[in-house]
Amino acid sequence: MSTVDQVPLIQCRGITKVYPLSGVEVHALRGVDLNIAQGEMVAIMGASGSGKSTLMNILGCMDRQTGGSYLLEGIDVSTLDDSQLATLRNRKLGFVFQRYNLLARSTALHNVELPLFYAGFSPAEAKKEALLALEQVGLRDLAGHRPNQMSGGQQQRVAIARAVVNHPLVLLADEPTGALDTVSSVEIMQLFQRMHNERGVTVIIVTHEPNIADFCPRKVVMRDGVVVSDDNPSGSHRTMEEA
Amino acid sequence: MTIRPTVLAGFAIQALQANKMRSFLTMLGVIIGVGAVIVMMAIGQGTQNQVLSRINQLGANRLTVMAGAQGGPPGRTTSAGNPLTLSDVEDISQLSFVKAVAPTVRGSVVATQGNHTWNTGITGTTPEMADISSLVLQSGRFFNQADLKAASPVAVLGQTAYENLFSYGVDPVGSQIRLQGISFRVIGLLRPVGATAGSDQDDVIYIPVTTAQIRLLGTSNQLVNAITVEVQDQAYMDRVQADITSLLRKKHRLTEAQEDDFRIMNNAQIQEQVESVTGTLTLFLAAVAGISLVVGGIGIMNIMLVSVTERTREIGVRMAIGASKRDILAQFLLEAVLMSLGGSLIGILLGMVATEVFAMVTTWPVAISLSSVLLAVGTASIIGIFFGFYPARHAANLNPAQALSYE
């Protein structure tokens, strides 16, 4: 069933993460093995303290692992320097956070333009691309609004537009519905599904809510810093028909 | 491809505008510092210019030879104390690089004209003195070689002497005045010069040296009080001074062990000394003002540190979406430099206004020099970079994951 010759997009081998916390070492990850193929939509589940957010930070190149290896597109991320990681985050990865993390004093448009600016776009080019992304999340009309003039669901859609505006390979979301009501949560998850289907982007969503995880074909469950269950441990790509 | 500098500048300006009051108060330290530097240096420079222009009026390429030994403890027996004579004047005029020489015979006289009486000094000299001392006539003429040869009783009045001997507005040329009871014809009136080192340069009456020696003072017709020498170029001042020294020592038959029995005042040396003193004064004033500029810089650093802490999450977000350390460093450094440069521009304008107001109120001489403006701007930008670097580096070195989870 698996296509062995295809290199998985994400390959984690024995990832550990140790935080020194007031003299005591906290082992957040104790050896995570995980493969994710191009085009998958994966939910990483687990109780708080299970290490899922720590794993998310490492997968998103926001933090470095203490041990083990992490290959993204076959490249060992630990060999890259800070500025190469910044470029990686800018071009290959898109982030969505629980609390949206939009710049409070900037308009929706400017928030979506930001990743493009860091990629070297001119203001005119950035505006064009950002408006397209806002249109895709259905908020073109709110381009001039500031975060405090928008609902939580709308803010999170702006954040998703910001995450996909640079056409990343992977969309990472850390509890993206954690601050939203049920209706908005469903809307947001449907938007992730649409991005996944329309753009073919790999989506990784960290959540502790089973009904949110149900939107994802593959579920990975973590406990105490290790993966305890995985629908598809090989990481080979499964089409919807196969599933 | 990395972020465009104009876009980055936009980020910095946006951040400063978001906290207008805070940005302005932070800039205020630099505004006051730069303003103070401008005002202080204008005062120092103005004072220097004034003193130097007075010295220049006296002639920077002039030497004055006076009889009598230099300084020395009182009661100390010096050499014979030979006087200066007209033959010295003749010999000095033969030296190379000497442009003109004029003797001076001085005396105090009582001058009368009508019912006006005035105690003043007379200066007996030769026609060359008019050129050497850059004397400018307001009316009439200076005495000439014929007057000198004939020991004519003619006089040229300084402005103060004129004001005290004549009623206001009366042209004195052609009038008779009496010096020690002897009748003189006024042939010229000098333009006012002003005071130098507390002495009124206008309280003087010039007469031919021959007239002074023979008719007025009754001194020997050879002795003079001082000899003024105009050198062809300021570059030869030291050379001519040395030549005069050896000439006079030889004529006075001084041995190696004996000290000079005359003094030579070198205007170029005096000018150098004044320049060095007032230059030090200007620097000192600038340094005092510069301290407030440094305090302003510390204010910038303080606010930038607060700003970095407040915006930790924002920094985390920017890093998450692709800002490199360099981008973050550049943005925060730019914010600091913009504040110090903006502050220095406002400070320059304010300093110029304050300088003008100060000059009007106190009539103190001031001069705003380009160098003081450049110094202020240069110092302010260096301060912006210096004090902005630490907070900016602090921001750039944040770990993105930790910055994002900062509460």
Side-chain angles (χ1 to χ4, degrees):
Chain A
M1 63 161 225
S2 60
T3 48
V4 187
D5 54 333
Q6 193 185 358
V7 179
L9 182 63
I10 287 169
Q11 285 179 286
C12 295
R13 288 285 166 277
I15 298 244
T16 59
K17 179 69 183 178
V18 182
Y19 291 112
L21 199 71
S22 53
V24 187
E25 287 189 338
V26 176
H27 294 261
L29 296 178
R30 298 164 181 272
V32 172
D33 296 321
L34 184 66
N35 284 356
I36 296 172
Q38 169 84 51
E40 277 196 280
M41 182 160 178
V42 185
I44 298 177
M45 303 185 63
S48 66
S50 62
K52 57 188 194 301
S53 288
T54 304
L55 180 62
M56 192 66 143
N57 282 337
I58 289 170
L59 292 181
C61 301
M62 305 262 283
D63 212 349
R64 293 175 186 272
Q65 71 268 27
T66 311
S69 74
Y70 167 32
L71 275 61
L72 180 67
E73 280 192 302
I75 297 162
D76 188 348
V77 167
S78 62
T79 63
L80 303 179
D81 65 24
D82 286 340
S83 108
Q84 286 170 316
L85 286 185
T87 307
L88 204 63
R89 289 195 294 267
N90 186 241
R91 312 290 159 84
K92 308 261 166 133
L93 306 168
F95 291 92
V96 178
F97 307 95
Q98 180 176 358
R99 288 191 299 172
Y100 331 127
N101 276 337
L102 301 175
L103 299 193
R105 292 196 190 86
S106 301
T107 60
L109 178 65
H110 183 76
N111 269 290
V112 179
E113 284 173 338
L114 269 186
L116 299 167
F117 284 142
Y118 285 113
F121 279 58
S122 75
E125 294 164 345
K127 186 175 181 184
K128 197 176 129 223
E129 289 289 316
L131 283 174
L132 277 176
L134 278 172
E135 188 157 14
Q136 208 175 3
V137 300
L139 289 180
R140 203 192 153 108
D141 295 342
L142 299 188
H145 283 52
R146 287 170 204 284
N148 60 9
Q149 297 167 312
M150 292 187 278
S151 72
Q154 286 169 334
Q155 289 185 60
Q156 194 62 303
R157 275 149 71 187
V158 172
I160 291 170
R162 181 178 67 183
V164 299
V165 74
N166 255 350
H167 303 283
L169 286 172
V170 188
L171 192 53
L172 298 137
D174 192 355
E175 302 273 9
T177 59
L180 298 176
D181 58 58
T182 316
V183 177
S184 301
S185 294
V186 170
E187 279 174 11
I188 291 296
M189 289 315 294
Q190 283 167 344
L191 186 55
F192 275 118
Q193 279 186 323
R194 236 181 69 213
M195 293 291 168
H196 178 239
N197 293 334
E198 287 174 11
R199 294 181 172 237
V201 63
T202 307
V203 178
I204 304 172
I205 292 171
V206 164
T207 183
H208 63 275
E209 295 172 76
N211 56 328
I212 294 298
D214 284 342
F215 283 87
C216 304
R218 178 181 169 192
K219 297 187 190 74
V220 174
V221 180
M222 293 187 67
R223 190 184 301 148
D224 298 331
V226 290
V227 173
V228 291
S229 99
D230 187 347
D231 295 358
N232 179 21
S234 70
S236 62
H237 184 60
R238 292 192 305 175
T239 60
M240 297 302 267
E241 296 87 72
E242 280 173 324
Chain B
M1 204 153 77
T2 51
I3 190 163
R4 294 171 187 230
T6 47
V7 173
L8 203 61
F11 290 173
I13 290 168
Q14 211 177 18
L16 294 179
Q17 281 178 339
N19 257 316
K20 286 196 187 67
M21 189 64 178
R22 180 198 281 190
S23 302
F24 173 73
L25 287 176
T26 309
M27 277 161 65
L28 198 57
V30 177
I31 291 172
I32 292 171
V34 168
V37 169
I38 298 282
V39 173
M40 289 304 181
M41 286 190 72
I43 292 171
Q45 192 69 47
T47 308
Q48 182 175 38
N49 289 356
Q50 193 195 35
V51 175
L52 287 181
S53 83
R54 286 283 163 78
I55 292 174
N56 266 327
Q57 278 174 8
L58 296 177
N61 54 343
R62 285 196 331 173
L63 297 169
T64 307
V65 187
M66 285 165 290
Q70 181 126 33
R76 179 179 162 190
T77 51
T78 56
S79 49
N82 297 290
L84 296 172
T85 64
L86 286 176
S87 110
D88 294 334
V89 176
E90 185 57 33
D91 290 343
I92 290 172
S93 70
Q94 302 302 317
L95 294 173
S96 15
F97 305 121
V98 170
K99 190 174 168 193
V101 184
T104 308
V105 173
R106 289 208 176 85
S108 296
V109 295
V110 178
T112 53
Q113 196 281 132
N115 52 1
H116 299 279
T117 301
W118 182 242
N119 287 305
T120 185
I122 59 114
T123 298
T125 185
T126 56
E128 285 85 359
M129 187 57 104
D131 277 341
I132 295 174
S133 289
S134 322
L135 301 175
V136 184
L137 287 151
Q138 187 170 308
S139 64
R141 62 173 181 89
F142 206 72
F143 46 81
N144 53 30
Q145 296 295 341
D147 297 318
L148 186 71
K149 210 167 260 177
S152 312
V154 291
V156 176
L157 302 185
Q159 197 67 214
T160 305
Y162 155 70
E163 281 164 12
N164 286 286
L165 288 173
F166 289 87
S167 304
Y168 179 79
V170 174
D171 185 359
V173 175
S175 312
Q176 295 287 327
I177 60 169
R178 285 176 175 275
L179 302 177
Q180 305 290 74
I182 301 164
S183 185
F184 280 75
R185 187 162 55 88
V186 177
I187 58 168
L189 171 64
L190 296 172
R191 274 216 194 129
V193 179
T196 300
S199 78
D200 185 356
Q201 302 293 305
D202 294 319
D203 191 7
V204 67
I205 296 173
Y206 286 96
I207 60 174
V209 63
T210 44
T211 316
Q213 289 169 332
I214 298 163
R215 298 189 185 229
L216 200 57
L217 303 176
T219 52
S220 151
N221 61 359
Q222 282 301 311
L223 299 185
V224 299
N225 293 105
I227 301 168
T228 307
V229 182
E230 185 179 9
V231 179
Q232 278 170 7
D233 190 284
Q234 220 171 315
Y236 304 124
M237 292 289 280
D238 293 338
R239 161 101 190 255
V240 172
Q241 182 173 359
D243 288 350
I244 293 172
T245 304
S246 60
L247 171 80
L248 291 180
R249 284 185 69 89
K250 207 165 136 198
K251 287 185 78 176
H252 295 175
R253 297 175 206 281
L254 297 175
T255 62
E256 289 274 323
Q258 284 174 304
E259 298 198 2
D260 295 345
D261 57 358
F262 53 89
R263 289 175 290 149
I264 300 178
M265 252 176 55
N266 184 329
N267 277 8
Q269 281 171 7
I270 293 171
Q271 185 174 347
E272 273 169 33
Q273 283 165 5
V274 168
E275 248 171 312
S276 120
V277 168
T278 53
T280 309
L281 174 81
T282 306
L283 259 178
F284 175 74
L285 289 174
V288 170
I291 290 171
S292 64
L293 201 50
V294 171
V295 173
I298 294 171
I300 288 180
M301 179 152 145
N302 188 20
I303 284 301
M304 289 310 295
L305 278 173
V306 170
S307 177
V308 167
T309 307
E310 277 180 358
R311 290 154 66 190
T312 299
R313 278 182 79 87
E314 178 199 320
I315 293 164
V317 172
R318 286 179 183 274
M319 285 177 157
I321 62 175
S324 66
K325 280 176 182 235
R326 245 190 67 223
D327 296 336
I328 299 292
L329 182 89
Q331 183 186 335
F332 280 86
L333 202 52
L334 211 54
E335 286 180 27
V337 170
L338 281 177
M339 278 200 283
S340 64
L341 271 186
S344 74
L345 289 183
I346 299 172
I348 287 167
L349 292 179
L350 218 68
M352 284 175 165
V353 171
T355 301
E356 291 306 318
V357 170
F358 176 83
M360 278 197 312
V361 171
T362 63
T363 70
W364 194 287
V366 294
I368 296 172
S369 58
L370 182 66
S371 65
S372 74
V373 172
L374 292 179
L375 182 83
V377 174
T379 314
S381 29
I382 289 168
I383 277 175
I385 292 168
F386 183 81
F387 287 104
F389 186 77
Y390 177 75
R393 203 192 53 174
H394 180 68
N397 282 340
L398 288 172
N399 170 302
Q402 282 169 13
L404 266 174
S405 59
Y406 183 83
E407 298 295 330

